[in-house]
Amino acid sequence: MARAQPDPLADPADRHLARLPFDLDAFLAAQVPAPARAPLSACMIETPLGRMVALFGAQGLHLLEFADRLALPASMSRFARGYTLVSGRPPQADRLERDLAAYFGGSDAGFSVPLVLGGNPFARTVWRALQTIPPGETRSYGTLARMIGRPEAVRAVAAANGRNEIAILIPCHRIIAADGSLTGYGGGIARKRGLLALEAGIGGGKSGESS
């Protein structure tokens, strides 16, 4: 089995990124089968910004994360406690790769793969609000809190934004600080900057409210 190598597109100094990407094959090989649990198929998705790990179930996509996200092993372990994770590439994975190719090609920012949202009701409300932010626009944490009718819950909104496990499709990268700085991103600041630059072209570069 090939040893995992650092992603050349990742910044090793970014505190959100691991030194080496997640070893999906080794993780799956260590799992103990639990037939009573529903299965999730795990596979790698290739993108211009690096490899991503995806988890698919019968209802859709449960997780999509860059392979070197520091929080990814904990997320995978949590899914493994509730599901049987198996290596597999369902038709939805090919559909997602086609959608991502169109997205990174700058021709289409729409995605057709159904999403399965975990989390608590508050987090799901935040994630659904994120999906209403058009490509090419950004919002601040405070604006996002007002969007869901909870202007006093800025910190809770920021925490829910950081717990998003379906990168790009639930666009937590479109959230910036009130002063316009990028702040953190689970996939790394360099990728956040790249995603926003790409979407400026797709969405016409319209600037969203940032306060």
Side-chain angles (χ1 to χ4, degrees):
M1 183 182 300
R3 188 180 178 128
Q5 298 295 319
D7 190 325
L9 298 176
D11 179 359
D14 195 304
R15 65 183 179 85
H16 293 94
L17 302 179
R19 190 176 63 86
L20 291 175
F22 183 72
D23 191 332
L24 180 61
D25 290 338
F27 180 84
L28 295 176
Q31 299 304 301
V32 177
R37 299 174 184 167
L40 292 182
S41 297
C43 64
M44 303 300 297
I45 300 291
E46 302 290 342
T47 82
L49 291 184
R51 304 186 83 197
M52 303 184 79
V53 175
L55 289 179
F56 293 94
Q59 303 303 314
L61 179 67
H62 289 248
L63 175 142
L64 181 66
E65 292 280 23
F66 286 103
D68 57 356
R69 181 175 182 177
L70 192 62
L72 179 56
S75 294
M76 293 293 289
S77 294
R78 179 173 50 77
F79 275 105
R81 290 193 291 271
Y83 297 88
T84 295
L85 304 188
V86 298
S87 178
R89 188 176 180 85
Q92 294 176 91
D94 294 328
R95 182 174 164 189
L96 176 59
E97 280 204 330
R98 288 194 298 271
D99 286 350
L100 284 169
Y103 169 79
F104 280 108
S107 62
D108 189 355
F111 295 94
S112 59
V113 174
L115 309 183
V116 181
L117 304 185
N120 57 37
F122 179 83
R124 290 194 293 272
T125 298
V126 172
W127 298 335
R128 292 186 181 108
L130 288 170
Q131 292 176 278
T132 70
I133 303 172
E137 298 187 19
T138 57
R139 302 290 186 271
S140 71
Y141 294 104
T143 300
L144 183 58
R146 293 194 292 275
M147 286 170 61
I148 66 169
R150 295 287 303 276
E152 79 290 352
V154 175
R155 289 189 177 183
V157 162
N161 190 70
R163 288 195 298 270
N164 173 37
E165 294 176 326
I166 305 180
I168 301 178
L169 280 68
I170 298 180
C172 57
H173 61 275
R174 294 176 192 158
I175 301 301
I176 60 176
D179 65 2
S181 60
L182 294 186
T183 70
Y185 179 57
I189 288 294
R191 290 193 179 107
K192 183 172 185 172
R193 187 178 295 111
L195 291 170
L196 292 176
L198 169 69
E199 292 179 351
I202 296 175
K206 183 178 178 181
S207 178
E209 181 185 357
S210 61
S211 62

